[in-house]
Amino acid sequence: MKSLSPILARIAAENVPAPEIGIVLGSGLGGLADQISEPIFVPYQELPGFPISTAPGHKGRFVFGRLGGKAVVCMQGRVHYYEGHPMSALAVPVRVMQALGVKKLILTNACGGVNYDFSVGDIMLIDDHINMMGTNPLIGPNDDAFGPRFPDMSTVYSPALRAAADAAGKALGIPLRHGVYLGYMGPSYETPAEIRAFRTLGADAVGMSTVPEAIAASHCGLPVLGISLITNMAAGMGDKRLDGAHVIAIANKRAKVLEALVTRIIETI
Ligand code: HPA
């Protein structure tokens, strides 16, 4: 694990306010960052050793400022394993946010619905995940300063934050689903046979992000709230072929609702 010091020193040079809540914005959901007041932008490429996001719909910068009455830092764009980063690099942004003061982490993503009860546009709170990526961000020498060698994963997604999200959904009249998110390596979408297998395993939704960050956060004791937007039904569940542009278009369409939900959650946590 490379030292975070050069990254932290570069961010400190911007005089950013210490953030209390970290938010990672998924594909097509970057608009929330535009709601942040008094924003200070720090592009990832200015941070020595920081993994750079190349995925479509991801801007690739930190946005520091205020949202829902709290000091926040927002990752407008995340890095994915399929971009070719070593899995350990996906822990870096989470650890940087914690080092800057973040006490709660909100992870959002666009994903495919696996549960037949779900519909495109549904918002799902992640109750738990299945790591089907075949690897783990904690592989490599363990830095005990972050967390233990063999971290417990019994409660990755904070029950208190899920309850706050449920209350926010209720207050705003936004129906929320709950379910299990299965992390898939990508970048190819799944086959219909894989989706049938994943449903049998207990997955409600499938996507190519979130799980590595959630593992890294849990390792270093950061409570996580995971929010998934169902942008499509997974492979074989409809007659449409899957494509990334459609995923981003649906995410953009539902972004305002998700933004309202996340802002309300931040007000109350
Ligand atoms: N599968 C994997 N990742 C995704 C999907 C999907 O169907 N939709 C959006 N991200």
Side-chain angles (χ1 to χ4, degrees):
M1 170 72 206
K2 270 194 257 158
S3 162
L4 301 180
S5 315
I7 300 174
L8 297 174
R10 175 66 191 81
I11 293 174
E14 296 290 331
N15 266 326
V16 298
E20 183 186 336
I21 296 171
I23 313 154
V24 180
L25 298 175
S27 304
L29 300 171
L32 181 66
D34 301 333
Q35 317 280 323
I36 292 179
S37 60
E38 302 156 51
I40 297 174
F41 302 102
V42 184
Y44 304 150
Q45 71 245 30
E46 291 183 12
L47 303 175
F50 198 87
I52 306 292
S53 55
T54 61
H58 291 253
K59 273 211 166 103
R61 61 187 185 183
F62 278 119
V63 185
F64 294 85
R66 293 193 73 78
L67 186 71
K70 307 255 161 71
V72 301
V73 57
C74 196
M75 288 187 73
Q76 204 172 18
R78 57 148 59 89
V79 285
H80 303 79
Y81 183 52
Y82 65 70
E83 293 174 75
H85 303 286
M87 197 58 153
S88 57
L90 275 65
V92 170
V94 171
R95 291 171 176 171
V96 165
M97 287 190 278
Q98 189 188 43
L100 293 170
V102 163
K103 300 282 185 290
K104 292 166 188 145
L105 184 62
I106 302 176
L107 302 174
T108 68
N109 62 60
C111 69
V114 174
N115 185 328
Y116 271 111
D117 291 340
F118 290 1
S119 306
V120 170
D122 280 357
I123 296 172
M124 183 190 91
L125 300 182
I126 303 179
D127 288 334
D128 203 351
H129 75 224
I130 297 172
N131 179 8
M132 196 52 83
M133 292 184 157
T135 180
N136 192 297
L138 305 179
I139 284 178
N142 187 59
D143 185 338
D144 294 335
F146 291 117
R149 171 73 290 185
F150 301 110
D152 177 68
M153 290 282 137
S154 306
T155 330
V156 175
Y157 301 89
S158 156
L161 291 180
R162 273 183 277 156
D166 274 325
K170 213 167 192 177
L172 296 177
I174 301 170
L176 298 177
R177 306 286 197 168
H178 278 255
V180 171
Y181 176 95
L182 183 143
Y184 182 76
M185 180 190 310
S188 53
Y189 287 114
E190 307 72 27
T191 64
E194 285 166 342
I195 293 302
R196 284 194 298 276
F198 294 165
R199 189 178 304 115
T200 305
L201 291 176
D204 296 295
V206 61
M208 303 175 194
S209 69
T210 303
V211 165
E213 295 142 342
I215 292 173
S218 188
H219 179 237
C220 64
L222 258 186
V224 175
L225 177 66
I227 308 178
S228 291
L229 174 64
I230 312 286
T231 52
N232 56 279
M233 296 314 287
M237 294 177 70
D239 47 11
K240 286 209 197 83
R241 291 174 67 81
L242 304 189
D243 99 90
H246 177 75
V247 164
I248 290 174
I250 298 290
N252 285 333
K253 225 164 121 183
R254 292 287 287 164
K256 284 276 163 277
V257 176
L258 213 99
E259 286 166 22
L261 178 70
V262 172
T263 305
R264 177 72 175 223
I265 292 168
I266 290 172
E267 281 168 7
T268 59
I269 59 176

